[in-house]
Amino acid sequence: MKKEKIEIEFSVYSSSDELQENDKILLEKARAATAMAYAPYSNFKVAAVAILSNGEMVEGTNQENASTPAGLCAERVMLASASMLHPNTIIETIAISYNNLNGSSNEPATPCGICRQSLQEYEDRLQHPIRLILGGQEGAVYVFEKSTSLLPLAFNGKDLIRS
Ligand code: THU
């Protein structure tokens, strides 16, 4: 028997003012795009804005439903749009922000488990790391150099085709 240890690495900025200019602009877009969320049940508005290798930006916001499981997270709305509008195009960076209408939005919120799985599929498919910039409307910002850092030992297609 041996023990394994997995560590993840990310950068913590005390505010978006410390970010490099392009990252700051992307996070500002995500902060603003939260207004486009449809979240009448949770009042938790999320937005994901991606910059692609072709220079295009793709946005997504959460879309809730009275039948709760029919709701969609912002990240997966954005990923589906990116895949459809710009097939086989690398996603360089995604900024994710939120606005909690019931409380404060002053620290980063990290993507849910299902979105982490979808992010890792995109990275795997395009064979390119996706940077993540996570921040609320204000406060500290986390930057991950690859989204798979958030899902160690992820399930992926390799397991399906193993003979
Ligand atoms: N939500 C997202 O859009 N992304 C996440 O990664 C976490 C949660 C949404 C889903 C739901 O509409 C609301 O936030 C509260 O869970």
Side-chain angles (χ1 to χ4, degrees), residues 26 29-31 33-34 45-51 57-62 73-79 93-98 111 115 119 132-134:
L26 206 61
K29 285 205 177 289
R31 284 171 168 164
T34 58
K45 297 184 160 202
V46 186
V49 180
I51 180 81
M57 260 184 209
V58 180
E59 305 188 12
T61 58
N62 55 329
C73 288
E75 294 89 331
R76 280 174 294 135
V77 169
M78 182 280 293
L79 288 176
T93 306
I94 304 171
I96 302 167
S97 189
Y98 69 97
C115 290
L119 287 163
L132 295 181
I133 303 167
L134 311 177

Side-chain angles (χ1 to χ4, degrees), residues 3 16 22 33-34 85 97 104 107 116-117 121 123 134:
K3 295 207 178 198
S16 58
N22 286 351
T34 58
L85 294 169
S97 189
S104 53
E107 58 184 62
R116 293 177 196 208
Q117 183 69 30
E121 176 95 14
E123 268 199 11
L134 311 177

Side-chain angles (χ1 to χ4, degrees), residues 117-130:
Q117 183 69 30
S118 296
L119 287 163
Q120 94 84 31
E121 176 95 14
Y122 222 101
E123 268 199 11
D124 202 39
R125 176 178 159 196
L126 275 300
Q127 288 294 296
H128 194 275
I130 299 175

Side-chain angles (χ1 to χ4, degrees), residues 31-50:
R31 284 171 168 164
T34 58
M36 308 301 284
Y38 175 66
Y41 304 103
S42 71
N43 278 328
F44 191 78
K45 297 184 160 202
V46 186
V49 180

